[in-house]
Amino acid sequence: MQHVLNWNPDTCAIHGGGSALASVGGVPDGSFVATLPTEMSVRIFGELDVRSLCRASLACRQWNCIIEGTEGLWRSHCLSMLAICHREVDGDRRDGLSWKITLVRNYQKGCVKKRWLKGRYSKVHSAEDLPPITMCPLDVETWGEILEAELER
């Protein structure tokens, strides 16, 4: 016998079929997410990396509301990026941007900076030799770090 399960994107609930999922922990129709306190969900989401956090926010409206509404989740990821320019982060925050938007805006820049600092482009002889997604606007301080790293090689 095949069980048909239906996903409810509003509540992250799995419904139907009389399956084991339908009665986990005595919670009807698998809507266990609704029974978790928000603080517990935030702690669980806090263990996710950025990619997983973004994916979880797409799972259902309830998770999206928790993830999007918890600035601390994005703040910790933003501040933990070593290659990010903290002056730009400070500027984005002064401009009133959320931690999530600040993280997204500066993530690409951080990746580019990290690749440059690791010497990935040390053997490049001209701008035409660079892959097209290699460049993005970087501040003077970042270019100074990159130049120092290149001179030490």
Side-chain angles (χ1 to χ4, degrees):
M1 178 176 171
Q2 185 176 12
H3 297 288
V4 177
L5 299 176
N6 298 314
W7 176 253
N8 182 340
D10 290 326
T11 61
C12 290
I14 302 171
H15 301 282
S19 69
L21 287 173
S23 60
V24 172
V27 178
D29 289 332
S31 58
F32 63 92
V33 174
T35 64
L36 278 178
T38 302
E39 296 80 16
M40 184 62 89
S41 297
V42 169
R43 287 195 62 169
I44 292 168
F45 292 138
E47 298 297 320
L48 299 177
D49 60 32
V50 174
R51 178 175 285 164
S52 299
L53 193 60
C54 290
R55 287 181 179 160
S57 74
L58 298 175
C60 68
R61 287 181 185 92
Q62 184 179 12
W63 285 12
N64 182 277
C65 288
I66 293 169
I67 293 169
E68 296 294 323
T70 308
E71 284 283 293
L73 292 172
W74 302 105
R75 179 182 185 273
S76 63
H77 286 295
C78 191
L79 296 177
S80 69
M81 287 182 55
L82 297 177
I84 203 162
C85 176
H86 291 284
R87 187 179 332 156
E88 291 192 25
V89 169
D90 293 341
D92 286 349
R93 297 298 297 154
R94 266 193 311 275
D95 292 342
L97 299 178
S98 71
W99 279 106
K100 180 183 179 185
I101 292 173
T102 300
L103 175 65
V104 170
R105 284 174 44 112
N106 290 285
Y107 182 76
Q108 181 188 13
K109 292 177 184 180
C111 290
V112 168
K113 178 181 175 181
K114 190 187 314 184
R115 281 186 234 126
W116 276 95
L117 290 173
K118 285 185 174 183
R120 186 165 181 192
Y121 308 116
S122 293
K123 306 284 188 225
V124 172
H125 298 290
S126 69
E128 290 79 32
D129 294 341
L130 289 170
I133 61 167
T134 316
M135 298 303 294
C136 66
L138 298 172
D139 65 356
V140 174
E141 184 179 288
T142 301
W143 280 116
E145 288 179 54
I146 292 168
L147 181 59
E148 283 179 20
E150 288 298 319
L151 291 173
E152 289 176 7
R153 284 189 183 79

